[in-house]
């Protein structure tokens, strides 16, 4: 019987995409993938390090994995992803039962690393760079959904925001050749995928070494040209995330206006509304730069949904700074907003700053901002009642067997009555009710 590997994934879409690639490579090398620790010969934890709490959870999880299989002494446990890349050898010191530490750029080498561990090597470590010939291929059976696929277009980050660990865990920005991205889009289209997400820490910083595959496509930046090239494949729905404000060229909105299959949703994290805090965060943009981009999005001939991320209680944030964030949120009227209370992340420049905002104050700011945002969100969601939305029916709803759930082109969760035969179809739904974070409707 082939050895079986169980992969557990934490964190962002990039980790989901890496797990899909790891599974593809493992199956090609003669392994089977399984759905639980109980059946596994090898367990891989694909980890996230964006918050210190998430990192600590990895060590708890390693203990739980070992405890779940007390009988299986030869069970191999590997830590991959961002914690592996950042901690390296130290993972073995923290958790002596770990057999492999696999960095973020070693995904293609996982089968070889497992072989080394199976042959008895005690501490297998690979924090090396991605190989020139490494493959981005993902087999359809390993994708997280049969209808929606993630396509990484850029890895890593060069921005070095002072609170963020990503440039250290994921390395410098590296863009995939456009010809590969367009070819992958066409393959997914032929397989019947209805929606793709072009993903990366900063998709609009996309800068391939050679612009093969973008000939004949216009655009102010390589990302704008890529959007037009991907849209030209005709795949029904194309989304992209995450965008970085400084690199958000207005031509991105023009590309959306020209191509109906580029979906009407932009995620543009701002993090703070105060110039003083933005500077401490080393974001490389000011409030006014951000609002300029928002104006272009709001003035578009299409109604574009807008979402963002904000950190409250960053070291040094005064009441005045926070007030600037509140007024920015009022002005932007986000469809969705992810608010985080600042927490120190070891290894980042901000970890050296004096974290002088008390936890109670961070909570108070969080709640106040949430209230301000909710008021705008409720108004936006209510405005959809009576409107027709195009929804990709992704699966049966977990709440009701007679309901299907999916996302609109503006990336809202929409639930509606319908049977399983519609799964994977793009349907029109008239919204009948607005809930806090979702819409409810009826099939047209
Ligand atoms: S842009 Fe800033 S917040 Fe985003 S991944 Fe890069 S360093 Fe982190």
């Amino acid at each position: 019987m082939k050895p079986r590997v169980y992969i557990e994934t934490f964190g962002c879409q990039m980790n989901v995409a890496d797990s899909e690639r790891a599974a593809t490579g493992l199956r090609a090398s003669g392994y089977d993938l399984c759905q639980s620790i109980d059946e596994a010969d090898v367990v891989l934890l694909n980890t996230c390090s964006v918050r210190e709490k998430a990192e600590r959870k990895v060590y708890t999880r390693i203990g739980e994995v070992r405890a779940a299989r007390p009988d299986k002494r030869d069970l191999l446990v590997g830590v991959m992803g961002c914690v592996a890349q950042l901690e390296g050898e130290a993972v073995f010191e923290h958790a002596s039962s770990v057999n492999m530490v696999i960095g973020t750029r070693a995904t293609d080498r996982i089968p070889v690393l497992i072989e080394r561990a199976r042959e008895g090597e005690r501490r297998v470590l690979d924090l090396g760079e991605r190989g020139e010939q490494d493959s981005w291929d993902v087999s359809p059976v390993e994708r997280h959904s049969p209808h929606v696929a993630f396509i990484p277009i850029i890895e890593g980050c060069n921005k070095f925001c002072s609170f963020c660990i990503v440039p250290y865990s994921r390395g410098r920005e590296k863009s995939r050749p456009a010809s590969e991205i367009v070819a992958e889009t066409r393959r997914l289209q032929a397989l019947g995928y209805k929606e793709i997400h072009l993903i990366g820490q900063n998709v609009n910083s996309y800068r391939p070494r050679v612009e093969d595959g973008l000939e004949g496509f216009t655009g102010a930046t390589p990302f704008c040209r890529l959007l037009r090239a991907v849209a030209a494949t005709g795949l029904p729905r194309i989304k992209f995330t995450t965008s970085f404000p400084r690199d958000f060229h207005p031509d991105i909105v023009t590309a959306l206006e020209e191509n109906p299959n580029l979906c009407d949703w932009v995620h543009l994290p701002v993090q703070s509304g105060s110039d003083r805090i933005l500077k401490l965060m080393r974001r490389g943009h000011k409030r006014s730069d951000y609002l300029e981009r928002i104006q272009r999005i709001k003035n578009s001939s299409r109604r574009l949904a807008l979402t963002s991320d904000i950190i409250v209680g960053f070291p040094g944030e005064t009441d005045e700074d926070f007030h600037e964030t509140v007024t920015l949120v009022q002005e932007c009227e986000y469809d969705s907003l992810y608010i985080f209370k600042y927490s120190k992340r070891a290894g980042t420049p901000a970890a050296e700053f004096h974290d002088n905002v008390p936890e109670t104050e961070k909570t108070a700011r969080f709640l106040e901002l949430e209230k301000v945002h909710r008021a705008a969100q409720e108004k936006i969601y209510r405005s959809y009642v009576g409107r027709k939305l195009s929804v990709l029916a992704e699966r049966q709803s977990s709440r009701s067997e007679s309901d299907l759930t999916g996302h609109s082109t503006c990336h809202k969760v929409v639930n509606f009555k319908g049977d399983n035969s519609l799964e994977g179809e793009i349907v029109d739904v008239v919204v009948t009710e607005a809930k806090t974070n979702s819409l409810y409707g009826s099939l047209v």
Side-chain angles (χ1 to χ4, degrees):
M1 195 150 67
K2 294 176 184 174
R4 286 155 301 186
V5 184
Y6 172 67
I7 307 179
E8 196 164 284
T9 309
F10 302 86
C12 66
Q13 292 171 326
M14 288 302 274
N15 271 15
V16 173
D18 281 348
S19 290
E20 291 174 348
R21 275 181 49 227
T24 303
L26 282 162
R27 227 185 270 273
S29 304
Y31 289 85
D32 262 345
L33 275 294
C34 60
Q35 298 306 316
S36 78
I37 294 170
D38 295 340
E39 311 159 67
D41 301 298
V42 181
V43 174
L44 296 177
L45 302 176
N46 192 0
T47 59
C48 168
S49 64
V50 81
R51 330 211 115 230
E52 241 167 61
K53 217 158 124 195
E55 189 171 320
R56 283 199 297 272
K57 272 194 198 156
V58 173
Y59 291 104
T60 313
R61 191 66 189 134
I62 292 164
E64 288 168 356
V65 168
R66 285 285 173 204
R69 300 293 300 276
D71 52 315
K72 188 158 173 68
R73 303 194 61 150
D74 61 349
L75 178 76
L76 294 175
V77 177
V79 175
M80 56 186 281
C82 295
V83 174
Q85 187 70 42
L86 284 171
E87 299 279 308
E89 289 260 10
V91 173
F92 296 125
E93 308 304 327
H94 280 119
S96 55
S97 67
V98 169
N99 307 91
M100 294 164 286
V101 173
I102 303 160
T104 48
R105 271 98 73 196
T107 309
D108 268 55
R109 298 186 286 275
I110 290 176
V112 178
L113 301 174
I114 294 179
E115 279 317 302
R116 278 166 49 188
R118 289 178 75 203
E119 281 161 16
E121 193 173 324
R122 279 204 55 236
R123 291 180 164 187
V124 178
L125 175 74
D126 187 340
L127 305 179
E129 287 303 315
R130 171 186 284 283
E132 282 301 319
Q133 301 306 318
D134 280 5
S135 158
W136 288 85
D137 286 350
V138 174
S139 150
V141 291
E142 314 302 352
R143 296 227 179 238
H144 71 284
S145 157
H147 318 300
V148 180
F150 294 155
I151 303 185
I153 65 164
I154 179 169
E155 267 197 313
C157 181
N158 294 351
K159 309 295 188 284
F160 289 92
C161 300
S162 63
F163 54 83
C164 185
I165 200 72
V166 166
Y168 311 94
S169 59
R170 288 268 169 189
R172 298 300 90 80
E173 285 168 6
K174 196 160 181 218
S175 298
R176 263 178 93 182
S179 51
E180 256 184 53
I181 297 165
V182 173
E184 189 171 348
T185 306
R186 287 193 197 288
R187 276 199 302 277
L188 289 165
Q189 189 180 12
L191 288 165
Y193 281 83
K194 299 285 169 37
E195 180 171 310
I196 58 161
H197 292 211
L198 306 176
I199 63 168
Q201 262 77 34
N202 294 302
V203 282
N204 54 341
S205 310
Y206 177 73
R207 278 203 173 33
R209 274 194 301 199
V210 186
E211 292 212 358
D212 275 357
L214 297 179
E215 304 85 3
F217 294 99
T218 56
T221 65
F223 181 62
C224 297
R225 292 193 277 286
L226 180 73
L227 278 181
R228 289 184 172 95
V230 173
T233 63
L235 193 132
R237 291 159 57 125
I238 298 151
K239 297 179 178 176
F240 56 90
T241 184
T242 294
S243 296
F244 187 67
R246 204 178 58 207
D247 295 344
F248 193 88
H249 197 283
D251 190 35
I252 294 174
V253 180
T254 309
L256 264 56
E257 288 166 341
E258 291 164 359
N259 296 281
N261 57 341
L262 296 178
C263 289
D264 33 17
W265 166 49
V266 175
H267 181 63
L268 197 60
V270 63
Q271 307 301 0
S272 173
S274 152
D275 277 344
R276 210 178 63 80
I277 296 299
L278 287 172
K279 197 166 175 198
L280 286 171
M281 288 177 164
R282 299 187 193 158
R283 290 285 290 171
H285 64 85
K286 292 188 168 172
R287 176 191 173 103
S288 55
D289 305 324
Y290 183 81
L291 288 174
E292 224 174 78
R293 281 137 180 93
I294 297 302
Q295 270 317 311
R296 177 67 186 97
I297 294 166
K298 298 265 179 191
N299 291 339
S300 167
S301 54
R302 279 175 86 172
R303 197 255 180 244
L304 301 176
L306 180 65
T307 60
S308 190
D309 302 337
I310 283 185
I311 297 172
V312 294
F314 189 77
E317 187 187 73
T318 62
D319 286 346
E320 290 72 36
D321 294 319
F322 175 63
H323 181 69
E324 296 272 286
T325 300
V326 170
T327 55
L328 179 128
V329 168
Q330 282 166 334
E331 191 169 339
C332 291
E333 297 198 315
Y334 294 112
D335 292 66
S336 273
L337 181 63
Y338 304 92
I339 309 169
F340 303 91
K341 286 191 283 181
Y342 175 76
S343 65
K344 192 163 149 168
R345 179 67 189 78
T348 62
E352 306 301 318
F353 301 171
H354 177 42
D355 187 2
N356 61 344
V357 183
E359 196 53 36
T360 47
E361 185 57 35
K362 286 180 187 166
T363 304
R365 289 179 188 175
F366 175 95
L367 293 172
E368 187 182 336
L369 196 63
E370 192 178 45
K371 201 166 145 201
V372 169
H373 159 61
R374 286 277 181 227
Q377 193 191 30
E378 260 178 57
K379 193 176 87 182
I380 294 169
Y381 272 55
R382 273 201 312 270
S383 75
Y384 281 97
V385 175
R387 280 177 57 188
K388 191 170 74 177
L389 291 179
S390 162
V391 178
L392 171 59
E394 287 163 43
R395 59 178 183 281
Q396 196 176 58
S397 159
S398 53
R399 299 235 170 114
S400 159
E401 280 187 9
S402 58
D403 282 358
L404 290 173
T405 188
H407 285 86
S408 61
T409 52
C410 54
H411 208 58
K412 302 217 169 16
V413 173
V414 183
N415 298 301
F416 56 97
K417 288 257 168 295
D419 64 73
N420 296 355
S421 64
L422 290 174
E423 270 182 44
E425 298 295 323
I426 293 174
V427 293
D428 283 337
V429 173
V430 169
V431 178
T432 53
E433 196 185 343
K435 304 198 173 183
T436 313
N437 284 312
S438 62
L439 298 169
Y440 196 87
S442 323
L443 271 174
V444 174

